[in-house]
Amino acid sequence: MRSSFIILFFTFFQLLSAQNSTIKGTVKDRVTEISLIGAAVEVLENNVTTQGSVTDENGKFTIDNLAPGRYNLRVSYIGYETVTIPNILVTSGKEMIMEVTMEESINALDEVVISAKTDKDKPINEMANISARTFSLEEVTRYSGGRNDASRLVSNFAGVATANDSRNDIVVRGNSPAGILWRLEGVPIPNPNHFSTLGTTGGPVSALNTNLLKNSDFLTSAFPAEYGNAVSGVFDVGFRSGNKDKREYTFQLAAFSGLEAMVEGPLGKSGNKSYLVSYRYSFVQLADAFGLKFGTNATPKYQDLTFNIDLGNSKWGNFRIFGIGGLSDVNFIGKELEDEDFFAAKDADSRAQSQFAVAGIKHTYNVNDKHFIRSTISFSKSKNSFDEKRFTDTTYQESYTYTDVNDDMNRINLHTLLNSKYTAKLSSRIGLTIDNRSLISTVDSRDNNPDLDKDGRPDLLPSRDIDGRIMTIEPYASFKYKSSEKSTWIAGLHGQIQTFKTKAAIEPRIGYTYAITDKTSFNAGYG
């Protein structure tokens, strides 16, 4: 009976692996994000077209009946530079959904080949021209030792490293990891990691589910004028839309990202709306239920929920509702610990908890085929606590509070921009970011304190007591000018006003790119 079940299982697996799949998506102008009608999309094998499609009135294309494997995709459109995207992975049981952007040509219609190397030098933000890389879901999952974590992937980039193997804090050219700015759908967010603490931008486990991320940007210096209040690097990520044609389910298990269940599909019958929801649960917590231990008796517990709802295009524009939330905690019980436990002491019980949540609405309105307005408003919360109780002797009967830490930050963010394309040579992006924060942070500790009450142990005294608010207002303007097919200038200004002491600053930004050959370019930037 058992052998028959195994045979049936592998037969089903082989049939599933043999199923053909689909590549589909949209083709848009890179600057205006207007859909391009009638663009030719071709699947290449050994530089020979094997299948093809043409985008419809919504800029959509579909290529069916593709066997699992890797393919090259070429997209061409009159008046635009041809784009060739290599190594698109097609798997059975799940459709590959893409968003291709094309740049209008000002002279000749030369082909631009986006290889694995040059793709990283082509950020999604058109105003970035130096120290900016794009990363995709496939890169994150394929990167050895990446643990399905985008933060660990970028440590492979030049000038970037992680602090150590136990955390994913990002060190850019020796700068503090606290100088990293995290943005989601255009707005700043708190530290998106499990077991995070106040003032940090990393953690042991990422709460960002890479299965929901679309291609995103990572910048390490001379940022475009759109980015401010960052001195080290910028992580600018976004969520992809769900499948608008059919419902799909994904189940997977990974050591760090845990047990995951994801569902996506169309909303209604219009084919214009979609939803995407994912829930993950700690693998370590599951393993603990079976008696497995990982170097410590304490069991890290964490879970997160992520969603993105695309309400489609209408005369009012496109609305998206997105959110992410995560919970994590770990308890170290002194009497249960081994003598050599690395993370805690046997004479103490300690507990660390963290909560993280972001919810927002994003609206895009196309004024015409040259201008669009995009606005995102969000509310976010990050809450962390740590308490340590120490015991007077080895009987574990009497204890006292040694450390008690509580941090609670709430943020309301607004980002709005006007993106304009005046000619094939000249475009601009003018916008405003408002970040309103409130913070309550308290620390009571006995560490290095005197024994004033003469009870035989250091006194428990407050070392931090903060209850404050601050608003940061950041207007900016960027302009991009292509003086030729090879030469591009980007210039802008970023302003910053902080209400805490009513101080202001203006920061100039400038960048220049010269394409020496199709594969080599000279880039310079200041910011």
Side-chain angles (χ1 to χ4, degrees):
M1 183 70 178
R2 183 178 178 183
S3 59
S4 299
F5 173 79
I6 295 174
I7 293 173
L8 287 173
F9 174 81
F10 280 103
T11 301
F12 171 78
F13 180 79
Q14 290 172 351
L15 288 173
L16 182 63
S17 300
Q19 290 179 353
N20 289 346
S21 191
T22 299
I23 295 178
K24 65 181 182 181
T26 57
V27 180
K28 297 182 179 181
D29 182 288
R30 189 181 181 206
V31 180
T32 65
E33 299 187 6
I34 294 293
S35 299
L36 300 180
I37 305 172
V41 184
E42 305 167 90
V43 173
L44 305 179
E45 293 186 40
N46 298 321
N47 293 323
V48 177
T49 301
T50 58
Q51 288 181 254
S53 178
V54 177
T55 56
D56 61 16
E57 65 274 10
N58 297 313
K60 296 182 179 180
F61 68 90
T62 301
I63 302 175
D64 294 313
N65 200 31
L66 292 171
R70 293 186 179 272
Y71 296 89
N72 297 335
L73 200 70
R74 181 169 63 195
V75 184
S76 56
Y77 190 68
I78 296 175
Y80 284 75
E81 297 176 348
T82 299
V83 176
T84 302
I85 307 173
N87 294 321
I88 299 173
L89 179 62
V90 174
T91 59
S92 62
K94 185 168 181 60
E95 296 181 337
M96 169 59 69
I97 304 175
M98 305 184 63
E99 183 175 295
V100 182
T101 59
M102 304 185 72
E103 191 165 357
E104 188 174 359
S105 176
I106 64 175
N107 289 317
L109 302 179
D110 296 328
E111 179 173 336
V112 178
V113 179
I114 305 180
S115 65
K117 178 176 182 297
T118 56
D119 187 38
K120 294 178 182 178
D121 294 330
K122 281 280 188 179
I124 296 171
N125 191 323
E126 58 151 342
M127 295 297 176
N129 75 318
I130 186 171
S131 297
R133 304 291 179 94
T134 293
F135 62 90
S136 65
L137 163 64
E138 185 192 4
E139 284 183 285
V140 176
T141 55
R142 190 173 54 179
Y143 176 60
S144 177
R147 304 176 185 174
N148 289 337
D149 185 348
S151 298
R152 298 183 189 275
L153 166 70
V154 301
S155 66
N156 192 46
F157 296 165
V160 184
T162 53
N164 57 64
D165 193 52
S166 66
R167 293 177 58 89
N168 62 9
D169 301 86
I170 303 167
V171 180
V172 180
R173 300 189 177 100
N175 287 296
S176 167
I180 296 289
L181 168 66
W182 281 96
R183 295 209 327 174
L184 176 63
E185 298 293 352
V187 291
I189 61 172
N191 183 349
N193 288 281
H194 292 297
F195 304 103
S196 63
T197 54
L198 181 68
T200 64
T201 57
V205 182
S206 175
L208 285 174
N209 188 341
T210 54
N211 284 329
L212 278 78
L213 295 183
K214 63 182 180 182
N215 288 1
S216 303
D217 285 344
F218 179 66
L219 304 92
T220 57
S221 70
F223 315 126
E226 181 176 338
Y227 305 106
N229 205 20
V231 296
S232 178
V234 176
F235 243 118
D236 195 356
V237 300
F239 291 146
R240 65 178 179 88
S241 295
N243 194 322
K244 296 183 178 181
D245 297 320
K246 71 175 186 178
R247 186 176 292 109
E248 292 184 322
Y249 301 93
T250 300
F251 299 95
Q252 67 179 35
L253 178 64
F256 279 86
S257 56
L259 178 65
E260 177 183 353
M262 182 173 70
V263 60
E264 59 183 293
L267 277 175
K269 299 180 179 180
S270 65
N272 192 30
K273 306 174 184 178
S274 68
Y275 66 91
L276 179 60
V277 182
S278 174
Y279 173 75
R280 301 190 304 181
Y281 190 82
S282 165
F283 168 74
V284 180
Q285 193 171 352
L286 288 174
D288 180 70
F290 292 95
L292 300 177
K293 301 296 180 182
F294 296 90
T296 176
N297 282 14
T299 302
K301 303 175 183 178
Y302 51 91
Q303 55 187 311
D304 51 65
L305 175 71
T306 311
F307 66 89
N308 186 33
I309 301 173
D310 185 348
L311 298 179
N313 298 320
S314 68
K315 65 178 181 179
W316 306 109
N318 174 263
F319 285 91
R320 295 172 184 248
I321 303 173
F322 63 91
I324 177 175
L327 301 173
S328 53
D329 71 88
V330 60
N331 297 325
F332 297 93
I333 308 302
K335 63 183 179 181
E336 296 179 359
L337 299 177
E338 303 292 341
D339 291 334
E340 67 277 6
D341 195 288
F342 179 75
F343 299 100
K346 283 186 66 62
D347 65 342
D349 288 351
S350 56
R351 182 180 188 183
Q353 291 182 298
S354 69
Q355 302 174 20
F356 157 74
V358 178
I361 300 175
K362 182 178 181 180
H363 175 242
T364 303
Y365 179 75
N366 291 95
V367 180
N368 51 41
D369 60 355
K370 297 292 184 181
H371 310 274
F372 71 81
I373 299 173
R374 175 170 293 152
S375 301
T376 306
I377 186 169
S378 71
F379 171 80
S380 60
K381 182 181 186 66
S382 59
K383 189 173 183 179
N384 313 286
S385 64
F386 174 80
D387 64 85
E388 180 183 3
K389 296 184 182 300
R390 293 195 176 179
F391 295 94
T392 56
D393 53 44
T394 57
T395 63
Y396 297 97
Q397 297 299 317
E398 183 181 350
S399 66
Y400 60 94
T401 299
Y402 190 83
T403 304
D404 188 11
V405 181
N406 290 279
D407 302 313
D408 191 351
M409 178 181 286
N410 298 309
R411 300 173 71 170
I412 298 176
N413 295 99
L414 170 67
H415 179 222
T416 185
L417 65 88
L418 170 65
N419 201 89
S420 302
K421 179 180 179 181
Y422 308 103
T423 66
K425 291 186 176 183
L426 180 63
S427 61
S428 70
R429 178 171 289 188
I430 301 171
L432 174 71
T433 300
I434 299 176
D435 184 2
N436 186 57
R437 311 186 196 189
S438 64
L439 171 66
I440 298 176
S441 178
T442 61
V443 176
D444 296 328
S445 177
R446 298 180 188 270
D447 194 32
N448 296 321
N449 288 340
D451 182 12
L452 300 179
D453 58 8
K454 307 300 181 181
D455 64 350
R457 50 180 174 257
D459 294 337
L460 182 67
L461 300 173
S463 58
R464 184 168 73 213
D465 189 358
I466 299 173
D467 185 355
R469 290 167 177 80
I470 185 171
M471 178 183 290
T472 304
I473 303 171
E474 301 175 62
Y476 66 89
S478 291
F479 295 87
K480 180 178 180 180
Y481 179 69
K482 295 185 67 174
S483 56
S484 69
E485 286 287 352
K486 293 181 176 292
S487 181
T488 302
W489 291 89
I490 299 174
L493 288 174
H494 179 92
Q496 188 169 174
I497 304 169
Q498 288 193 341
T499 61
F500 182 65
K501 292 186 177 180
T502 319
K503 290 190 175 183
I506 297 178
E507 308 164 10
R509 313 286 175 87
I510 189 169
Y512 176 70
T513 298
Y514 183 80
I516 302 172
T517 68
D518 289 342
K519 296 183 178 181
T520 306
S521 65
F522 168 79
N523 302 274
Y526 170 80

